[in-house]
Amino acid sequence: MFLAVAGLLSTVLTVFGSASAGADTVGAGSYTTTAPGPLPSGCADLSTNPRHWVTADAPAGAVPTNDWWSSILWKRTNCAYGEPLFAQPLGFRAQSGGLGVSYSTKPTISGSGKGVGEYHFDYKEDFVVGVSGLAAPEVKVDDWSDWTVSPYLSDGAHTLRATIGSGLPFAYFRATGGAAQIKTAAGATVDVWSNSGSTIGYTVAGHDYVAFAPTGASWSVDGPTFTSSPTDKDYFAVAVLPTTPSTSSADRAALATEYAKYAYDHVTGTTVSYRYDEADSTVTTTYRYTTRAFEGSATGTVAALLPHQWRHLSQGSPLPQTYISSRGPLKVLTGITSFSTAMVFHGVLPEIPGVADSSGADATTLQNYLNAEKTDPTRQQSDDTYWTGKGLGRAARLAEIADQTGNTDVRDAALSAIRSKLTDWFTASPGKTGHLFYYDDKWGTLIGYPASYGSDQELNDHHFHYGYYIAAAATLARFDPTWADADHYGGMVDLLVRDADNYDRSDERFPYLRDFDIYAGHDWASGHGSFAAGNNQESSSEGMNFDNALIQWGTVTGNKAVRDAGIYMYTTQAAAIEDYWFDTHDEVYPGDFAHKEVGMVWSNGGAYSTWFSSAPEQIQGINLLPVTGGHLYLGDNPAYVKANYQEMLDQAGRTRPGIWPDIWYEYLALGDGDAALADFRADSSFTSEEGESKAHTFHWIRNLAALGTVDTGVTADSPLTAVFVKDGERTYVAANTTGAETTVHFSDGTTVPVPAGRTVTAGAHTWTGGGGPGGTDPDPSPTPTPTPTPTPPGDPGTSPTLYLSAGGTLTGAAGTADSVTVASADSVNHDGTPYKPQTFRATGLTMKYAGGATRFDLAVDAQENVGNGIQLQVSYDCTGSGTWDRVETYRYFATDPVPGWEHYTDKAGLLSATGTSCDLKDGTVQVRIWNALGHAPSTVATGALSTVQLP
C-alpha cells in the first residue's frame, strides 16, 4: 500500500452505450462520467485542464502519470518547474535559465549500522544547460515516449527544448534566440581538459562531461560559463562519461572519442516490445531507440543498462566502465539502436495445491477455519477501493481453498460475496455516488469512489487497488464464465486493467502502461511524483499482485494480450525487485547501508521505512503481501528468505514476529516450510492481517511444508505452473482454469495431463483438485494422475560419478539411455551465459573434495545443423544452503554437421570459474547445458553416454 503524505478491445468498444445521463454502459456494467467526488488537482486548474503544462505539439491522448518525470507535467509543489527528475545515471531540474544536470555518485545515508534508515543519491547540480539570455517563467512538456521526455522552456525570445531519458548518458538540446550555454555550479571545482573545435571536455565536482556543439562552432570559456559560438544550427548535446577519479587521461579521452561518434544522432523517441514464448517460458523484451542524425554518418546511441537489464542481456558487449547510480552499477552499450533481454518466466498458480493429508486432525482444523468464514468471506476493514480490494482478495483465497478441499458451502459463499461486490461496483445507476467508477476523459483515468490514499486527487496506487478486483474476477470467472464475458462484466474488468496499465497502444483513452516504468522495470505508486527524491513505490508485492491478476484473468478468459502483458510485467518486475527491493546480489545498496531489504524504493535511493509504520515487521512485510499463488517469486532464493526473515526478527528484537505473523510465517514457508509450520503450531492465536484468514495461512504453510521450496530449474509451456523440490524429489504443479483439457510439458521432459478446471500435481506428490468451469464440484477424494518420467535408480549421495537423466536429475547409476533436446541459441552469441539451458541437479551429496578439477564426457549431436556450439556450466552448493559456492563455465564445443554422437569433454578447458572447491555436506550440484552459438537445436544423450565426474 502507498500512503501519499504531501482482445477485449474491439468487443469492449462495440458494447459501449448510453445508460442514463452521466453514465456509460460496458456490457451489463456501467461507469459514470459525472464526478462523484474530488478530482486530480495541482498548481494549475488541473481538474479542468490537465494539459496546462503540455505544449500544443505534445502527443494526443491521455497524459502519462506515475512516471519518473511526472512532476514537471503535474506540478504540486514547485508550480513553475517541478521537482528533480532522476533518469539514471543523470538527474535533471528545470529552472528559469535552463535544465540543471546532476551526476550523483556519493549517497547520503541516514543513520549507521543496524538502525540505518535510508540512502539517497541526492540531486547535486553540476551545471545548468541553457541559452544565453533565457529567463523562462515555467517548464512545459513538448513530447514523451516510453522512457524519454522533452522539457520545453521559453520566455518568448529564447527557447530550449531538451530530450532526456532513463539510461541515457546524453541529454539532447535544441535552442533558439541565443548561444548554447553551460553554467557550472557556484563554488564547484571545474577543469576543462579538452577544448577543440565543436567539442569541449570538462570535469565538474569530479564528474567528466563532454559537450558537442554543431560542426563549425566552438566553445569559449569565461570562468564557470561555457558558451558556444553562434551558428545557423540549433542543436547540441551533453554527455556524462563513465569515469572515476582513477581513470587515466588516455582512457577518458578514448571514451570521449567513442561517445563523439553518436553525439549528433539524437534520440527522438523510445519504444518497448515484448514477446512471451510459451514453449520455453521466456520473455524477450526489446528496447528500441528512434534517432535523428543532425550531421555525420554514424547512427546509434549510447545506453546505460540497469542491473535487471544487463543480467539478462541477450546480445552486445558492454564497455568495461560502469556508471554509479542508486540502482547499482549501470553497464554501457554504444552504437546501438536497440537491445534485448531474455528472462525466464517461472509460472504462477491460482493457489498452492492441497497435497497434504486430507484426513486427520489437520484436515479437520482447516475445515473449521474455512467454516468460520462462511458468513463474511470478505471481512473488509473499510468501504473504499483499497480495502474493498483487500476483502475481495481474501474471499478469492477462501474460494480457491474451499474448492480444493470439497467444501462447496464456503466456496459458494465466497464466490457469491465476490460476485455481489464486483457487480455492485461495476454498476453506475442513476443517483449512485459510491461503489462505482468514474471515467475522466481529461485525465484519461478511471477512479473508484469512495477513493483512498490519494487514488482520486493524486491518481496514486491504482494498480494496488484494482489488482485485487481483477484477481477476484479471475477466480469468479472460473466458476461463472458468463458473468465474466464481454456482454456482462468482463468489459468493466478490462477497463480496470487498462486504467492501471493499458496494454493497447491504440487505445488513447488511457496512457500506455501508466503505472509501470518500462525502463526501470517496476511500478511507481505516486501519480504526480512531486518529491525531492523523485517518485516512489512501497509495496512491490502489491504491484506484482496486479501483474499476476492479469495473467490469471487473461488465461481464464482466453485473452492472450492481457495474459502476455501480465507475464511481461511480472517477469520484469520480479527481476527488478530482486535487485532494488531485496539486493539479493549485494550489488545495489551502498556499502554502509546494512539492510537486506528496503520498504520503499525512491527514484534516487531506498528507505527502510513505510508511509504508515516504523515496525520492522511491516517495513519488510509490506513487500510480501498479499500472499497468493502469484507470489512464488518470493521463494526463488530460499537462503535469502531465511536471511531476510532473521533480519526482521533482529530489527524487531523478537524471536517471532509481533505484527503480521501470518504474512511472515507464509513467507518463511517459501524458504523452510517445516520451520514455518512449527512456528504456526506454536503461535496460531494471532489476529490475521486484514487481507488474510487462518484458513489460507494454515493451508499455505502446511502444503509448502510438504512440497518444499520453489525449483526454478524447470519451466513449463503453460503459465499456470510451478515446480517444488524437497529432499531431492520434485513435485510438478499445473492448473487449468479453462473449459478444455490440456497437457502441460515441463522442460525436463515431464508431461502432465490436466482436466478442465482442475489443478494437478505429479512427481513426489500426486493429487487432483478444483472444480471445473461453471462450478462443477471437486472430487473430495482426489485421484492420482500420471507420474512424470521416473527418476533412474541410483543414489547420488556419495557417488562422484554422476549420470545425466532425462528427468532433469544427476544420478549415481546410468539408468535407461535416452536424450534431451537443447534449444537453439537463436543466432545470438551466448558464450558464457546460459540461454534456455537443460538443467540437471543432484541433491543430498556428501563427499570430500579430493583435489583436481571437474571431469565430464557428454555425448552431443547437432545432426546436420551448421555452426552450433554447445556449452556446459557446473555449479556447487557445498551445504545445500541455496547459494552456489563455486561455478565453473567451460568453453563451448563446436559440433559438426554430421549426424552421430560427438564427445564434449572437460578438455575444452575452463572459460571462467568463481568461488573455491569444497567438501560436499548434504550439498547440491547443478549442470546446465545450452547452445552458445547457432540457429538450431542440439541433442545431448542421457544415461551411460553422458557423465560428470566430481573432483
Side-chain angles (χ1 to χ4, degrees):
M1 133 187 37
F2 168 100
L3 301 175
V5 172
L8 278 177
L9 174 60
S10 59
T11 307
V12 170
L13 291 177
T14 60
V15 297
F16 278 159
S18 178
S20 59
D24 281 3
T25 60
V26 186
S30 55
Y31 61 87
T32 182
T33 53
T34 302
L39 292 173
S41 61
C43 293
D45 186 11
L46 296 180
S47 62
T48 58
N49 183 19
R51 299 180 74 90
H52 178 89
W53 304 108
V54 170
T55 70
D57 294 329
V63 296
T65 63
N66 302 76
D67 220 327
W68 63 272
W69 54 268
S70 289
S71 76
I72 62 166
L73 184 148
W74 182 349
K75 300 179 181 68
R76 288 181 59 84
T77 49
N78 184 333
C79 292
Y81 307 109
E83 297 294 332
L85 312 178
F86 297 95
Q88 314 291 351
L90 289 170
F92 302 94
R93 186 162 198 169
Q95 49 202 273
S96 175
L99 191 66
V101 178
S102 165
Y103 175 39
S104 184
T105 56
K106 294 180 180 179
T108 300
I109 301 177
S110 64
S112 61
K114 180 178 177 180
V116 67
E118 51 193 291
Y119 72 90
H120 294 281
F121 287 76
D122 296 320
Y123 178 85
K124 297 177 180 178
E125 196 162 277
D126 285 340
F127 53 88
V128 176
V129 179
V131 182
S132 56
L134 176 65
E138 63 185 17
V139 64
K140 291 192 173 185
V141 177
D142 196 52
D143 195 11
W144 58 77
S145 67
D146 281 0
W147 60 95
T148 65
V149 65
S150 294
Y152 180 82
L153 293 155
S154 174
D155 61 8
H158 314 81
T159 68
L160 181 73
R161 184 187 190 274
T163 296
I164 56 178
S166 296
L168 287 181
F170 274 95
Y172 306 97
F173 299 93
R174 307 288 298 276
T176 66
Q181 194 172 79
I182 295 171
K183 289 186 176 181
T184 58
T189 302
V190 182
D191 173 36
V192 176
W193 42 267
S194 175
N195 189 358
S196 176
S198 60
T199 302
I200 184 170
Y202 56 99
T203 302
V204 182
H207 308 136
D208 292 330
Y209 296 92
V210 186
F212 303 90
T215 298
S218 60
W219 292 92
S220 62
V221 178
D222 182 9
T225 303
F226 312 152
T227 304
S228 172
S229 61
T231 70
D232 59 352
K233 302 167 185 175
D234 67 353
Y235 55 86
F236 66 104
V238 178
V240 63
L241 300 180
T243 53
T244 68
S246 62
T247 301
S248 69
S249 297
D251 287 343
R252 181 176 62 185
L255 282 168
T257 299
E258 175 67 13
Y259 277 44
K261 297 176 185 176
Y262 315 106
Y264 300 102
D265 196 28
H266 289 203
V267 171
T268 57
T270 54
T271 308
V272 74
S273 62
Y274 54 85
R275 184 185 75 254
Y276 165 55
D277 188 332
E278 291 186 45
D280 62 7
S281 200
T282 299
V283 175
T284 301
T285 305
T286 300
Y287 302 81
R288 291 185 174 86
Y289 299 85
T290 303
T291 60
R292 175 185 173 184
F294 282 89
E295 59 181 73
S297 58
T299 59
T301 191
V302 180
L305 276 59
L306 278 68
H308 80 277
Q309 295 169 325
W310 55 253
R311 291 191 201 283
H312 302 277
L313 185 64
S314 296
Q315 82 292 317
S317 298
L319 298 177
Q321 298 88 354
T322 61
Y323 288 102
I324 296 170
S325 83
S326 61
R327 297 294 173 264
L330 310 184
K331 296 190 177 183
V332 185
L333 294 176
T334 61
I336 63 167
T337 55
S338 70
F339 69 91
S340 296
T341 61
M343 297 179 177
V344 176
F345 169 60
H346 295 297
V348 295
L349 295 172
E351 184 52 68
I352 292 291
V355 299
D357 187 6
S358 60
S359 61
D362 279 352
T364 300
T365 297
L366 177 59
Q367 292 306 314
N368 289 338
Y369 282 147
L370 282 169
N371 290 332
E373 303 293 346
K374 182 178 177 180
T375 58
D376 187 12
T378 58
R379 198 183 297 179
Q380 65 189 66
Q381 173 176 304
S382 184
D383 200 34
D384 55 53
T385 49
Y386 179 73
W387 291 103
T388 296
K390 292 272 284 189
L392 288 166
R394 186 179 193 275
R397 303 277 60 76
L398 291 168
E400 297 282 1
I401 299 166
D403 181 56
Q404 284 189 12
T405 60
N407 191 329
T408 55
D409 286 347
V410 172
R411 180 198 69 188
D412 292 346
L415 292 173
S416 178
I418 293 170
R419 184 187 295 106
S420 176
K421 284 186 181 291
L422 288 178
T423 302
D424 180 25
W425 277 84
F426 291 164
T427 305
S429 56
K432 192 178 183 185
T433 59
H435 291 193
L436 82 172
F437 288 92
Y438 157 74
Y439 176 71
D440 187 288
D441 61 355
K442 300 178 183 65
W443 276 99
T445 188
L446 198 69
I447 303 172
Y449 293 90
S452 54
Y453 309 122
S455 61
D456 50 357
Q457 292 183 284
E458 299 178 358
L459 300 189
N460 297 337
D461 302 0
H462 283 202
H463 57 317
F464 290 169
H465 298 203
Y466 301 168
Y468 289 105
Y469 285 70
I470 299 162
T475 293
L476 179 59
R478 287 184 53 204
F479 302 93
D480 190 352
T482 299
W483 180 93
D485 66 33
D487 290 334
H488 292 84
Y489 295 96
M492 285 298 297
V493 178
D494 189 62
L495 284 180
L496 296 190
V497 174
R498 291 171 184 267
D499 173 76
D501 278 308
N502 181 16
Y503 55 92
D504 181 5
R505 288 187 186 274
S506 67
D507 181 5
E508 293 188 348
R509 294 172 299 167
F510 305 97
Y512 183 63
L513 298 183
R514 179 198 306 276
D515 289 344
F516 188 76
D517 187 316
I518 289 166
Y519 204 85
H522 60 78
D523 306 314
W524 291 120
S526 170
H528 55 77
S530 294
F531 302 93
N535 214 320
N536 71 93
Q537 175 148 289
E538 188 175 70
S539 183
S540 59
S541 49
E542 284 185 301
M544 290 291 277
N545 188 54
F546 178 88
D547 301 340
N548 172 57
L550 267 58
I551 300 170
Q552 305 285 351
W553 174 255
T555 299
V556 74
T557 61
N559 190 326
K560 286 191 174 182
V562 171
R563 182 201 69 174
D564 291 359
I567 291 173
Y568 154 65
M569 291 189 292
Y570 181 98
T571 306
T572 306
Q573 190 153 216
I577 291 167
E578 180 181 88
D579 269 318
Y580 314 135
W581 274 264
F582 295 153
D583 192 17
T584 60
H585 300 281
D586 196 25
E587 293 180 323
V588 174
Y589 300 164
D592 293 337
F593 187 79
H595 291 290
K596 296 185 180 300
E597 178 187 341
V598 294
M600 302 170 66
V601 162
W602 287 89
S603 291
N604 73 352
Y608 189 78
S609 63
T610 72
W611 288 106
F612 65 96
S613 173
S614 61
E617 294 98 324
Q618 292 177 301
I619 292 172
Q620 293 174 241
I622 194 59
N623 287 297
L624 309 180
L625 60 79
V627 178
T628 77
H631 287 77
L632 298 177
Y633 71 94
L634 291 168
D636 285 354
N637 187 334
Y640 175 82
V641 170
K642 290 183 280 190
N644 197 27
Y645 184 84
Q646 187 59 50
E647 186 194 358
M648 175 274 297
L649 294 177
D650 292 343
Q651 290 291 321
R654 297 176 179 272
T655 57
R656 288 200 185 99
I659 306 173
W660 292 351
D662 44 0
I663 299 298
W664 278 103
Y665 294 159
E666 289 169 300
Y667 176 62
L668 178 60
L670 290 166
D672 188 341
D674 293 327
L677 185 57
D679 279 352
F680 178 87
R681 293 191 193 282
D683 177 27
S684 61
S685 61
F686 54 79
T687 299
S688 294
E689 186 269 336
E690 293 87 350
E692 267 296 345
S693 66
K694 287 285 178 62
H696 179 248
T697 301
F698 188 46
H699 170 88
W700 178 277
I701 296 171
R702 179 170 171 251
N703 286 290
L704 278 179
L707 290 164
T709 56
V710 175
D711 185 346
T712 58
V714 180
T715 60
D717 61 358
S718 173
L720 305 187
T721 56
V723 181
F724 300 90
V725 61
K726 185 171 184 178
D727 299 330
E729 294 186 274
R730 285 182 175 134
T731 299
Y732 304 81
V733 187
N736 179 5
T737 58
T738 72
E741 182 176 350
T742 189
T743 298
V744 175
H745 304 86
F746 289 86
S747 61
D748 64 357
T750 302
T751 60
V752 180
V754 192
R758 300 291 178 118
T759 297
V760 171
T761 73
H765 296 275
T766 56
W767 173 89
T768 301
T776 303
D777 288 345
D779 181 354
S781 302
T783 56
T785 59
T787 58
T789 305
T791 301
D795 178 10
T798 58
S799 172
T801 301
L802 302 177
Y803 298 86
L804 272 60
S805 163
T809 57
L810 296 169
T811 63
T816 304
D818 204 339
S819 65
V820 295
T821 299
V822 180
S824 164
D826 295 331
S827 301
V828 175
N829 188 327
H830 299 288
D831 186 12
T833 304
Y835 177 70
K836 302 180 181 179
Q838 284 282 5
T839 302
F840 305 84
R841 278 189 181 182
T843 59
L845 299 172
T846 300
M847 60 189 76
K848 288 284 187 181
Y849 171 58
T854 307
R855 305 286 298 276
F856 64 89
D857 187 342
L858 306 184
V860 301
D861 183 19
Q863 295 292 312
E864 297 176 348
N865 298 309
V866 178
N868 282 13
I870 205 157
Q871 195 159 26
L872 174 139
Q873 183 183 82
V874 184
S875 302
Y876 292 86
D877 177 353
C878 303
T879 60
S881 66
T883 300
W884 300 119
D885 299 287
R886 179 168 173 79
V887 178
E888 302 171 353
T889 303
Y890 290 83
R891 299 185 187 281
Y892 65 78
F893 175 74
T895 54
D896 65 30
V898 180
W901 296 120
E902 298 179 82
H903 286 274
Y904 172 31
T905 73
D906 51 274
K907 292 181 181 178
L910 270 175
L911 176 67
S912 65
T914 60
T916 57
S917 299
C918 55
D919 296 338
L920 294 172
K921 299 177 181 178
D922 197 27
T924 298
V925 173
Q926 173 181 277
V927 171
R928 304 176 85 185
I929 304 168
W930 71 98
N931 271 314
L933 304 172
H935 61 279
S938 301
T939 302
V940 177
T942 58
L945 291 179
S946 293
T947 61
V948 177
Q949 182 80 29
L950 307 184

